[in-house]
Amino acid sequence: MKAFKLENEPKITTGFKTSDDYFDDFSAKVLQQINETKEVKVIPIYKRKNVLSMLAAAVVFIGLLIPIVNNYNNTSKELDEATLETYLSYQSNLNQYDLIKELDTKDIDKLNKSVALEQETLEDILSSNPNIENLISE
C-alpha cells in the first residue's frame, strides 16, 4: 500500500475569501451595532388568535380530563365479595381449616353477628341434605 503524506498532497481551497482590511475594524462595527437600540414591537399575547385557540383547546382538554382523573382516583382497592369467593373456590389446595386459622377474634365476632339463621331455614337445610352426618361432624 502506498504511503499517504498529508503535507505533500495538493490543498483544496475553501471558496470563502475576506477582504484584507475586514478584520481591522470588525470589533468597532460590532460594538456600533450593539450600541444602536432598535425599537422592538411588542405584541400582547391575548391579541393573538393562535394563542387564544390554543388556550381554548387546553381548557377543553382539561375539562374532559377531570372526570377521568376523578374516576381513576375513586376506584376502590378493596375486593368485592364475589371476586373473593370466586378466587377462593378455585384454589384447590385451600380448605376450611386454612381459612379458620387466618381468622381473628374480631372476625369471628363479626361472623357471629352477621350469621343469623332462623329455625325454619336450618330445618330446611337439614331435611334437604342427605349427608346429615357430615354436616354434624363438621
Side-chain angles (χ1 to χ4, degrees), residues 118-133:
E118 295 179 6
Q119 190 68 24
E120 293 126 10
T121 309
L122 188 58
E123 287 177 3
D124 288 341
I125 291 172
L126 290 175
S127 66
S128 64
N129 195 345
N131 295 329
I132 296 176
E133 292 86 16

Side-chain angles (χ1 to χ4, degrees), residues 22 25-39:
Y22 180 75
D25 58 348
F26 180 73
S27 60
K29 287 181 185 177
V30 170
L31 288 175
Q32 181 184 4
Q33 288 178 355
I34 290 174
N35 290 335
E36 291 177 3
T37 57
K38 296 181 182 177
E39 189 65 31

Side-chain angles (χ1 to χ4, degrees), residues 4 20 26 52 55 62 69 73 93 97 99-100 104 106:
F4 179 76
D20 293 335
F26 180 73
L52 289 177
L55 182 64
I62 291 172
V69 171
N73 289 337
N93 58 351
Y97 300 111
L99 293 175
I100 292 171
D104 262 349
K106 188 178 4 174

Side-chain angles (χ1 to χ4, degrees), residues 8-92:
N8 296 338
E9 296 297 319
K11 304 285 191 257
I12 300 173
T13 59
T14 62
F16 297 106
K17 296 188 190 256
T18 58
S19 61
D20 293 335
D21 60 345
Y22 180 75
F23 290 107
D24 293 339
D25 58 348
F26 180 73
S27 60
K29 287 181 185 177
V30 170
L31 288 175
Q32 181 184 4
Q33 288 178 355
I34 290 174
N35 290 335
E36 291 177 3
T37 57
K38 296 181 182 177
E39 189 65 31
V40 179
K41 183 178 179 185
V42 177
I43 301 172
I45 198 164
Y46 60 87
K47 288 188 178 179
R48 297 186 65 182
K49 291 181 182 178
N50 192 14
V51 173
L52 289 177
S53 63
M54 289 173 60
L55 182 64
V59 167
V60 169
F61 178 73
I62 291 172
L64 293 175
L65 195 63
I66 287 172
I68 295 170
V69 171
N70 193 18
N71 189 21
Y72 178 74
N73 289 337
N74 288 343
T75 54
S76 176
K77 302 290 184 200
E78 297 179 12
L79 294 174
D80 59 334
E81 292 177 15
T83 307
L84 185 60
E85 185 177 342
T86 306
Y87 173 76
L88 292 176
S89 67
Y90 284 115
Q91 295 298 318
S92 61

